[in-house]
Structure formats: C-alpha cells, structure tokens
C-alpha cells in the first residue's frame, strides 16, 4: 500500500472500520483516506412482501428443496473459506434444532450458497452433528436475490469482514440478519442508537448466534422491525 501511495494522492476505504485499520495497521495518514461505502443495485434486490408467505419465490424454493411451507429457512451466502467460519453456523443450527424442538416450533433448515476449499469438511461436520438433513449445500447460485426473497433470516458467521456486500443485499431485501460482531458488520446492521436490521453476536460464539436466530424467528415484532430497518 505504501508503494502504491507513491503514485497516488488519496486512499478510498469501504467503511470506517477499514479506514481505522489502514491508519492503525498501515500507518496511512487519516487526512489521505476517504470513506466511500460499498453499495448494491437495489433494483436487483427488491424488498420482500410484508407477508413473505405470499412470495412466489418462497413457494418455488420450497418446491425445489422439498420443504414444508412452515419450515423456517436460514440463508448464508459466502465462499467456503476459513474466514467465513461456517462451522459456527452449523454448530448454531445443531443447538437451534434442540431449542426450537423444545419450544414446540418447526426446526429450521440452513441453506448454504457458495463453494470453496472447506466444503467437504463442512459436509462431514454436518453429518457428525446429525444435521445433514437440515443443511442444503446449494453450490454457486445466480439467483441469490430469489433465495433471499424466500428465506426468513440471513446468517453471517465470519471471523472478519470489511463492509459485507451480502449484508447489504439482505438489508435491501428486508431480510433480518443474525451475524457476528466483527469488522464493519456493526456499521451495516446498525449502531445501538439506530433501528437495527439484525442482531450481533461475538465471533465463534455458536450459542449466541443460535439465540439471535431464535429471537428473530419467534419474536414477530422484532423480526418485522429488523425487516423494515433494512431497506431504509
């Protein structure tokens, strides 16, 4: 970065967390850094119907994956790389199945869109946790917008993030978020004084992630407030 700066005047960071990291870790002067947040095309990720059960995308997805209409659907869109820490999501799902069953609620299914070096390991982990029948490895998809339209909660279990584009896509869709409190995720989901589009939990804390997902599934008022805050 210092070599590149010899030929340039300014640095652009995609969020304040990234800006602070450039100052702290790279020694770049704050006066040389501008923050321009990542963005998405909201036309590609339109808001879900206020009642998602009337969504055609929801019906099609359940037909494709042979899911009952009442099955809660969790969605994670990320490459299978160690930094995305899908293992925490799988452990959270294993715990969530128990707590939802104890509450006499339908057990959720986790959709994993993406591919990468950790896929075989994660498939084995799902079998070891006895949740293989509740995890769908979808591979690389070109219909992420439809997947978000059809889901109930968006999950991101990363160990580190800048400004996650998939969180922005979920927000635009009005899909409540359960994610780790790392990197710029707090900037995206919303600080304490603002309406939040989701709930944050510590990295690698599968129990905390499971609790937040359960809250979003069972607390209809919270679910709707997070859904409404996203597109704003």
């Amino acid at each position: 970065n210092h070599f590149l700066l010899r030929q340039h005047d300014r640095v652009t960071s995609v969020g304040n967390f990234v800006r602070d990291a450039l100052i702290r870790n790279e020694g770049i002067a704050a006066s040389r850094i501008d923050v321009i947040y990542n963005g998405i095309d909201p036309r590609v990720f339109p808001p879900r119907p206020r009642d998602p059960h009337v969504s055609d995308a929801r019906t099609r997805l359940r037909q494709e994956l042979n899911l009952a209409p009442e099955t809660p659907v969790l969605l994670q869109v990320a490459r299978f790389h160690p930094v995305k820490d899908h293992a925490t999501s799988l452990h959270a799902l294993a715990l969530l199945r128990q707590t939802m069953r104890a509450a006499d609620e339908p057990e959720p299914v986790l959709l994993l869109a993406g591919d990468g070096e950790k896929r075989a390991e994660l498939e084995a982990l799902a079998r070891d946790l006895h949740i293989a029948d509740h995890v769908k490895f979808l591979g690389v998809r070109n219909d992420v917008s439809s997947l978000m339209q059809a889901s109930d909660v968006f999950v991101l279990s990363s160990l580190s993030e800048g400004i996650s584009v998939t969180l922005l896509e979920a927000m635009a869709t009005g899909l409540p978020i359960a994610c780790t409190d790392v990197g710029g995720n707090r900037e995206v989901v919303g600080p304490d004084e603002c309406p939040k589009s989701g709930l944050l939990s510590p990295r690698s804390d599968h129990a905390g992630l499971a609790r937040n997902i359960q809250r979003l599934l069972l607390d209809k008022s919270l679910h709707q407030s997070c859904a409404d805050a996203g597109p704003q």
Side-chain angles (χ1 to χ4, degrees), residues 10-165:
R10 309 289 294 174
V11 176
T12 298
S13 70
V14 296
N16 283 310
F17 174 83
V18 177
R19 175 184 180 274
D20 293 344
L22 290 172
I23 296 169
R24 180 178 61 252
N25 300 330
E26 306 268 2
I28 298 174
S31 60
R32 302 185 71 180
I33 304 174
D34 296 309
V35 175
I36 301 177
Y37 278 97
N38 279 338
I40 63 165
D41 186 347
R43 294 171 296 181
V44 180
F45 294 89
R48 301 182 304 161
R50 192 167 182 85
D51 179 2
H53 292 84
V54 305
S55 166
D56 291 339
R58 187 182 181 93
T59 301
R60 287 196 302 271
L61 183 74
R62 276 159 170 70
Q63 291 173 345
E64 174 189 341
L65 301 179
N66 195 29
L67 299 176
E70 68 275 9
T71 299
V73 173
L74 317 176
L75 173 65
Q76 184 160 352
V77 180
R79 68 191 190 280
F80 294 134
H81 183 277
V83 75
K84 299 300 182 182
D85 193 20
H86 287 78
T88 289
S89 292
L90 294 180
H91 281 281
L93 178 65
L95 179 58
L96 187 61
R97 286 187 62 198
Q98 298 175 16
T99 58
M100 293 290 279
R101 190 183 312 127
D104 198 26
E105 294 287 345
E107 298 175 29
V109 166
L110 174 62
L111 310 182
L112 297 178
D115 213 338
E117 62 190 83
K118 301 283 282 185
R119 176 166 179 167
E121 180 181 325
L122 293 167
E123 289 175 335
L125 177 60
R127 291 192 295 270
D128 291 343
L129 293 172
H130 307 292
I131 57 172
D133 57 340
H134 282 67
V135 182
K136 307 290 186 182
F137 290 84
L138 303 182
V140 177
R141 303 280 295 218
N142 60 7
D143 61 344
V144 170
S145 177
S146 294
L147 293 178
M148 290 186 174
Q149 290 278 333
S151 300
D152 297 295
V153 175
F154 187 80
V155 179
L156 190 65
S157 54
S158 303
L159 299 172
S160 177
E161 286 287 346
I163 297 296
S164 167
V165 171

Side-chain angles (χ1 to χ4, degrees), residues 48 152-156 167-168 170-172 174-181 185-202 208-209 211-217 219 221-232:
R48 301 182 304 161
D152 297 295
V153 175
F154 187 80
V155 179
L156 190 65
L167 288 186
L168 299 178
M171 287 172 62
L175 183 59
I177 294 166
C179 68
T180 47
D181 190 5
N185 287 357
R186 183 173 288 267
E187 294 177 64
V188 176
V189 171
D192 292 338
E193 64 273 14
C194 296
K196 291 176 175 291
S197 56
L199 301 175
L200 299 160
S201 57
L209 183 61
R211 282 193 299 272
N212 284 346
I213 295 171
Q214 183 163 337
R215 286 182 62 197
L216 290 169
L217 289 175
D219 186 335
S221 176
L222 174 64
H223 188 281
Q224 192 59 56
S225 69
C226 290
D228 292 340
Q232 298 174 14

